[in-house]
Amino acid sequence: MSRFRVIPSTRKILHALMCNPAAPEELVRQIIERADPSALRYLCHGRVLPPSVIDTMARHQDPRLREAAAEVENTPPETVTTLAGDPDGKVRRAVWLRAYAGMPVSEAAWRALSKDRRRIIRDGIVSRDDVSVAVKLLLADDPGLGDLVVLRYGTRTDADAVYQRILADGTPTAIAMALAATGRTPPPELIPLLVADPATTVVAARYDEAHAVRIANSPDVEVRRQLAADSHLPPAAADVLAADPDGQVRWALADNPAAPVTALRRLAEEGSRELRIRVFSNESTPEDLRTSMDLVVAANNHVPTVGWLAARCEDVELQARYARSPHVIFRRTAACCPHLPADAVAALAEDDDYTVRLHLAENHPDAPGELLVRMVPMGTALTAAAMMRRPQFPADALDRFTRSGLEQHRWLATYSDKLTGEQKARLAADPVPDIRELFDPAYPTAAELIAMLDDPDLEVRCRAAKHRNLPPAVMWQLFEATVTDADPHLMRLQRQQ
């Protein structure tokens, strides 16, 4: 049993040691084996770790470490599959969450997860596009999901049999599910059943316009909001909802591409800028209505990207068309698409709107070099790094950045992967310690780092603990002091320089 006490300072020191790129592999393994798992739980998510460390975690008796192993980016597929069948539910859930973090999950692992009885995991298996139909069909016997699986992925004969059975003896909710899964219209005699059930009354509005108008006048605002967002909204109900007293109902209607033009015109007359932007951005809003709205968007006005247009980024023709839109809202969204053709890129690079130019520079791999030079200081750390590494970033601009009196420019230069030896030497002598450290392998020295370990500021001690120049022997001593409850700041270690 570990003697380790989890206190903020010791946890942070351990995290720093594990993050040290020069930490011996055996030291990392010892931290895993001897430290309290609660000190390490969130450290490994998305990281690349040595195979022996991953194996230690995956075999650890404490499920928290096995859970952490499932979150390591380079955990081998066979290990992920083993963890997908782990007796601890949190470990299995961590494997399921790998897919949502963009990490690989093999078909064998999904098959193992299909045995998990929890609905959230089974729902995820059915809904994810990256799970094979063969794995989804393993859930065909599930009492809650089986019918949906067969309707969506089963053979035509099996799907028809399930559909007919649900219509014959299903609940209104099951009938509505079957209709949605198959895209079919219900027999007329079943519509009153859907109307009468509160759970399906909004769905029934798709098939009964008179009922749709009635619930558009319902005192239940949630029912009206659901109806306003329904993709099969009847026009008569939309005209009623356009005058709804609840702003959220009108917003839902303004966002709905199924809203008729008459309802959109009525909403556009309202004074609310937020509502007008939603109407303006609606895919179904005709161009003459947009022009008549005269919606001014200044360069510093924050307007979110148009969701439906952003979601269709792969449609290059659509994106190119909206890149030439007279309306800045659409140009800002199209500028985020990395697939735009060269003529659209050239036009957006000269756009009057600052945000259009920034979106283009951040997202398009062929954004002009001079645009990158102008926009890179405005990007985030992540997008600035990507812009600096584009092959078209001008060499003379990079050299100017390394010589600049502005610290920001010199920081930006550190992101480049095209620095010459002379430029690296210049940055290695930079007056800013953090910049100098990136290019001077001897800075800070081991002696300076050891002195930092006695600093009263925990952040300074952690910085020393994670630095590559800290001698391995000192790393081991620091670890031993931490896991034996000694305070590394107060304890005088016998250090060898």
Side-chain angles (χ1 to χ4, degrees), residues 300-324:
N300 60 345
N301 285 161
H302 173 71
V303 177
T305 54
V306 180
W308 66 265
L309 182 58
R312 293 164 63 181
C313 184
E314 301 298 326
D315 188 337
V316 177
E317 183 179 346
L318 176 74
Q319 298 294 331
R321 186 166 72 250
Y322 276 94
R324 296 177 177 83

Side-chain angles (χ1 to χ4, degrees), residues 322-337:
Y322 276 94
R324 296 177 177 83
S325 170
H327 309 298
V328 68
I329 291 177
F330 294 108
R331 299 200 307 276
R332 287 182 181 180
T333 303
C336 294
C337 176

Side-chain angles (χ1 to χ4, degrees), residues 21 97 102 182 184 195 237 250 266 309-310 314 320 326 389-390:
L97 287 173
T182 60
R184 302 183 190 182
V195 168
R250 299 194 304 278
R266 184 168 182 177
L309 182 58
E314 301 298 326
R389 294 189 182 112
R390 301 267 172 78

Side-chain angles (χ1 to χ4, degrees), residues 13-29:
I13 291 293
L14 285 177
H15 287 188
L17 283 172
M18 285 192 69
C19 289
N20 192 320
E25 191 171 316
E26 179 59 25
L27 172 61
V28 178
R29 288 185 64 253

